[in-house]
Amino acid sequence: MEVDAVDLVGPDRYARNGAPHEAWKVLRREDPIHWCEPDGFESFWAITTHTDITTVSSQPDLFSSEEGIVLLSSQQLTVPQQQMRTLIEMDPPEHRSYRKVTSHCFTPKAIGSLHEIVTSSARNVIDALGAEGECDMVEQVAKRHPLRVLTTILGVDREDEERMLELTQQLLGSADPDLRRENDDQTAALGEIMAEFVTMFDRIIQDRRAQPRDDLATVLAAAHLEGCPMGVTETLGYYLILFTAGHETTRNALSGAIEAFARHPKELERLAQHPELMSSAVEEVLRWTSSVNYMKRTLLRDTVLRGRTLKEGDRLVLFYGSANRDERVFDDPFVFNIARHPNRHLGFGYAEHFCLGAHLARASITAVVKQLAARTNALELAGEPQNMASSFVIGRKTLPIRYSFALVA
Ligand code: HEM
């Protein structure tokens, strides 16, 4: 089979076909480090196996994140991009000092203290659906739950929640005509969106500086780097990365979880009967959905990988979605199995940039899946789901579901 490189990275292709599993299968088998020159995008090496992705991710001094983590389209290359640097686009040692600013807020213990917020948010979104009916689960559940959790921990007022959501969607969905801000000039639109974010976050920072509390927002407002107060741009960038990295990813993992259980009802029954499988079920959701589809790296020096010579400046695209179906690592990788063990998925990346919010994401997904397992009488597709037009953070744009839930968990 010929692999069309546009299938690997073209947002429209993902909208139409979903993740390119057939192409990845061929690449894993025949050419795991594959040179791609897709029409309309930067050229890159497609890295598709679990082992090669962990090898690359373990060497951040050689495979850099500083040139950006998203593959650019030719159109994006001709216009200036948003310039706010955040920790996800930094290399060590700078990356480590930035990460240290908040890493204590994301430990299992710190996330454990958010249990009440996370649980009540999940219960509320499911309660709001009523006992039975039909709805778009992206709109009613997958979007709302992480929004409530993240805005709460970031100190965003309730009345700004929807605004925050709209801005993030416009920021991340710029390739999707249904999601992006209406403006003929998308560069100007990006500038406007950033300015509106800045206004919102600046208010929170000022508030926490005046009245410190025991929360993440206060940690950011009072943050120091190498002994000096963190600059305004850096602080705002930090807020932005936490919200943007945390919302769309969790949202897509949640809609993917609901869809997986609707398509595999026996797995949901099994979970209801065996609640001790909850944590392996959540890991399987993360593997299955792989909502962060890839990350880009740029090579800082010539090197050899699996016998191939790669040149300084070459770009590599690490396809986590492919690694998470790698048949050398996972038995029956195309089977959704909530008891899968071991499950060394790369849904949160690997090593240096391993997802800072992994424990929070797990807690948020667990809270919803617990509600589903405890309360579902029936859960089935009520129409064809649609995909987002994105190849980076991927998932459903709509998920029509017919449901019947017991009212009290
Ligand atoms: C299901 C949900 C999530 C998935 C699948 C996910 C996935 C990922 C992946 C694959 C990376 C690695 C980036 C790289 O290698 O360059 C990453 C990094 C990151 N994630 Fe998540 N993430 C999720 C939820 C969250 C949440 C809830 C937060 C925070 C509130 C968060 C914050 C971050 C941050 C700050 C980074 C950058 C870490 C660094 O550069 O050191 N993520 N995430």
Side-chain angles (χ1 to χ4, degrees), residues 1 3-4 7-9 13-14 17-29 48 286-293 319-327 330 333-335 387 394 396:
M1 177 186 146
V3 168
D4 177 352
D7 283 343
L8 305 182
V9 291
R13 301 287 172 94
Y14 279 72
N17 311 322
H21 285 297
E22 290 310 312
W24 283 336
K25 252 191 228 170
V26 173
L27 293 180
R28 284 195 299 272
R29 194 176 57 232
T48 47
L286 289 160
R287 182 189 77 88
W288 189 250
T289 54
S290 298
S291 61
V292 173
N293 186 44
F319 285 108
Y320 302 124
S322 173
N324 285 344
R325 295 286 195 283
D326 189 336
E327 33 296 278
F330 301 102
F334 287 88
V335 172
N387 295 321
I394 63 168
R396 295 303 197 189

Side-chain angles (χ1 to χ4, degrees), residues 65 69 87-89 95 99 106 150 153 241-243 245-247 249-250 253 286 291-292 295 297 320 346-350 352-358 360-361 365:
S65 296
I69 49 167
L87 80 160
I88 206 163
E89 294 186 332
H95 168 253
R99 190 164 163 124
F106 290 96
L150 285 166
I153 68 173
I241 187 67
L242 290 177
F243 189 80
H247 184 259
T249 49
T250 310
L286 289 160
S291 61
V292 173
M295 286 282 159
R297 298 289 187 260
Y320 302 124
L346 299 181
F348 289 129
Y350 190 76
E352 181 78 19
H353 290 277
F354 183 83
C355 178
L356 182 62
L360 179 60
I365 298 168

Side-chain angles (χ1 to χ4, degrees), residues 250-282:
T250 310
R251 164 199 138 153
N252 293 2
L254 283 173
S255 58
I258 297 169
E259 180 173 354
F261 285 119
R263 290 187 189 273
H264 305 275
K266 290 227 153 45
E267 290 301 278
L268 190 56
E269 273 169 38
R270 189 178 173 202
L271 186 57
Q273 281 155 15
H274 295 281
E276 73 280 6
L277 292 178
M278 186 54 70
S279 89
S280 66
V282 170

